[in-house]
Amino acid sequence: MILLGSTGSIGTNTLKVANAFGLPIESLSAGKNIALFNTQIHQYRPKNICIADINDATKLDMAYIKAQNIRVFFGEEGLLDMIKASQSTLAVNALVGYAGLAPSLVIKQCGKKLALANKESLVNAGWLFADYPITPIDSEHFGLWYLHTARAIHRLCITASGGALRDMPLDKLPFATPAEALKHPNWSMGQKITIDSATMVNKLFEVLEAYWLFGIQHIDAYIEECSAIHALVEFVDGSITAHISHADMQLPIAYALDEQKAKSMRLIPRFDMSALTNIHLKPIDSKRYPVWDLKSTLLAYPKLGIVLNASNEIAVGAFLDSRIDFGSISACILESMRYFDSIKTHTLTDIQDIRALDSEVRAFSASWLHTTRP
Ligand code: NDP
Ligand code: MG
């Protein structure tokens, strides 16, 4: 298989599952964590590897790479070339952010199975994948897929933990530090998605992801602090089913890699049923999560996901660099969505349109954060 983003949280979990299933790894990619990448290269002996920055080449274990005749690719174009040069029919995209979109499109173009953790691919360009089957690696969408039946569906529901700052007093929230916002109560994940969970942007992404995956517009989300219920489906007949499991990404990853094997063995701890007594579903409060007010607009105009994503990436980057406070992330997104409101009536068709809008939103958000932000 091909694994993009092997050094990340989903990437390392994917390697554990691949190991348990005895799946050979043909191609691996990493960003900046070359020390971990060298270890993975030794352990999994891929035929092809790619790193984001050619300047990091000197950190690679070139003696081993040459001895094993491993082909090395570099940068964004190199990553796309590596996908095209790979024989594997299964590709896991565990990259984070907009950088994952072009690889997803190439995986589709090559006709390979797309096991998609990079939700930003769908947030930015869901309609470009409308005719292509995607296996989602996201606990809520895996849960929805698990519950999906031929019965008529009234509504899809996904849950949110509330993120690291769910109990912080509202007056302190705008000034939360990166260290505080990165302490997720239930999941161990990469930095960006952990911040996206604290602002609730992650749940907006997931609502859009569910919309593009299942083609249903009636989607809601609730806070469920234990992360035990991941998804619920309400059927037209009045029944509701819920997907419950231990919070562990190895379950959705296992199904994405090999459904037959995933069904027949347990990789994650059994769920402790006594925990169900603590479970409550609560509405998402837009005083704590101001971006949540965007949900219905995004569902009505899902291509606005491009604006949401680009402004969020700029603001989260600035927050993690301690250049802006936590409250400015949501403020920047709301301001960008207001500024680009006319996009609702634009016809965005291809990747060039997405790139142009993405760049425009990034420039606006960066400038707003730099000059206008209160
Ligand atoms: P991480 O930050 O932990 O990992 C991201 C991976 O992408 C790393 O291997 C990183 O390399 C690599 N990478 C980052 N930027 C670039 C770039 N510009 N070019 C090439 N490679 C790059 O993220 P997660 O694993 O947490 O998340 C990955 C995706 O999965 C995200 O879209 C996230 O929303 C989604 N997801 C994650 C979940 C989780 O539990 N973590 C749950 C559900 C969805 P390096 O570290 O070497 O720099
Ligand atoms: Mg999720």
Side-chain angles (χ1 to χ4, degrees):
M1 56 180 269
I2 303 166
L3 171 56
L4 310 181
S6 65
T7 45
S9 160
I10 293 289
T12 48
N13 271 310
T14 301
L15 287 174
K16 282 185 202 159
V17 177
N19 214 16
F21 285 180
L23 259 175
I25 310 289
E26 183 190 14
S27 305
L28 277 184
S29 93
K32 299 296 276 180
N33 190 348
I34 310 299
L36 175 58
F37 199 44
N38 277 328
T39 313
Q40 293 178 341
I41 294 166
H42 278 261
Q43 192 176 349
Y44 295 96
R45 299 171 178 226
K47 292 197 173 76
N48 309 298
I49 58 167
C50 181
I51 57 170
D53 186 351
I54 196 164
N55 295 315
D56 288 330
T58 51
K59 298 180 199 157
L60 284 168
D61 185 348
M62 285 314 282
Y64 181 79
I65 287 166
K66 280 195 183 128
Q68 296 291 321
N69 211 12
I70 296 171
R71 199 166 161 197
V72 188
F73 297 81
F74 298 103
E76 285 170 37
E77 282 303 316
L79 192 59
L80 307 183
D81 291 341
M82 183 179 81
I83 298 166
K84 290 178 196 159
S86 302
Q87 306 293 314
S88 302
T89 53
L90 166 64
V92 176
N93 184 348
L95 297 167
V96 61
Y98 183 81
L101 172 57
S104 288
L105 288 168
V106 169
I107 292 165
K108 175 188 161 190
Q109 188 192 318
C110 296
K112 299 178 188 298
K113 175 175 167 178
L114 175 54
L116 187 65
N118 180 258
K119 59 188 85 181
E120 293 89 345
S121 292
L122 285 171
V123 169
N124 279 290
W127 72 97
L128 297 182
F129 298 92
D131 55 347
Y132 202 73
I134 288 180
T135 311
I137 299 181
D138 206 341
S139 52
E140 299 77 4
H141 305 77
F142 167 70
L144 290 173
W145 169 82
Y146 205 96
L147 298 168
H148 212 262
T149 70
R151 283 188 294 274
I153 291 171
H154 172 64
R155 173 171 80 124
L156 303 178
C157 294
I158 55 176
T159 60
S161 67
L165 307 173
R166 65 191 184 193
D167 298 320
M168 183 173 268
L170 280 179
D171 58 335
K172 295 214 168 64
L173 194 57
F175 314 106
T177 63
E180 289 168 324
L182 285 169
K183 271 193 214 131
H184 197 283
N186 305 347
W187 296 95
S188 163
M189 309 185 286
Q191 289 200 335
K192 177 178 176 283
I193 186 176
T194 306
I195 302 301
D196 293 348
S197 300
T199 54
M200 208 50 78
V201 165
N202 185 48
K203 222 39 60 178
L204 289 176
F205 282 178
E206 291 183 352
V207 164
L208 286 172
E209 192 184 359
Y211 169 77
W212 291 116
L213 285 170
F214 299 100
I216 290 172
Q217 212 156 14
H218 195 168
I219 307 169
D220 285 318
Y222 293 94
I223 303 240
E224 193 281 275
E225 292 193 350
C226 301
S227 298
I229 301 180
H230 308 293
L232 303 111
V233 176
E234 184 175 353
F235 294 93
V236 169
D237 66 11
S239 319
I240 296 178
T241 58
H243 182 258
I244 299 172
S245 72
H246 188 76
D248 192 324
M249 287 308 293
Q250 287 192 47
L251 182 63
I253 292 169
Y255 271 84
L257 298 195
D258 188 330
E259 190 180 334
Q260 292 312 318
K261 285 206 172 95
K263 274 181 196 167
S264 59
M265 63 197 276
R266 182 165 54 78
L267 295 174
I268 65 166
R270 290 190 64 209
F271 183 80
D272 174 8
M273 292 267 277
S274 66
L276 289 177
T277 51
N278 300 321
I279 288 177
H280 305 278
L281 293 178
K282 294 192 291 192
I284 299 175
D285 176 7
S286 50
K287 279 201 210 69
R288 183 169 293 279
Y289 306 103
V291 297
W292 190 244
D293 282 339
L294 297 170
K295 190 199 84 162
S296 47
T297 307
L298 285 164
L299 276 171
Y301 302 96
K303 291 180 181 176
L304 280 173
I306 302 165
V307 180
L308 170 68
N309 180 71
S311 55
N312 182 57
E313 282 193 21
I314 291 295
V316 171
F319 172 68
L320 287 172
D321 287 348
S322 302
R323 284 183 278 120
I324 63 167
D325 57 33
F326 181 76
S328 296
I329 302 175
S330 299
C332 175
I333 292 168
L334 292 168
E335 192 58 34
S336 302
M337 290 288 280
R338 266 192 290 275
Y339 186 80
F340 287 95
D341 188 66
S342 63
I343 295 302
K344 283 176 184 167
T345 55
H346 286 207
T347 322
L348 297 158
T349 48
D350 53 21
I351 184 70
Q352 280 75 27
D353 294 340
I354 297 171
R355 279 201 191 113
L357 178 56
D358 172 78
S359 303
E360 224 185 308
V361 177
R362 281 171 198 268
F364 171 83
S365 303
S367 149
W368 186 82
L369 284 173
H370 191 62
T371 57
T372 325
R373 171 173 59 101

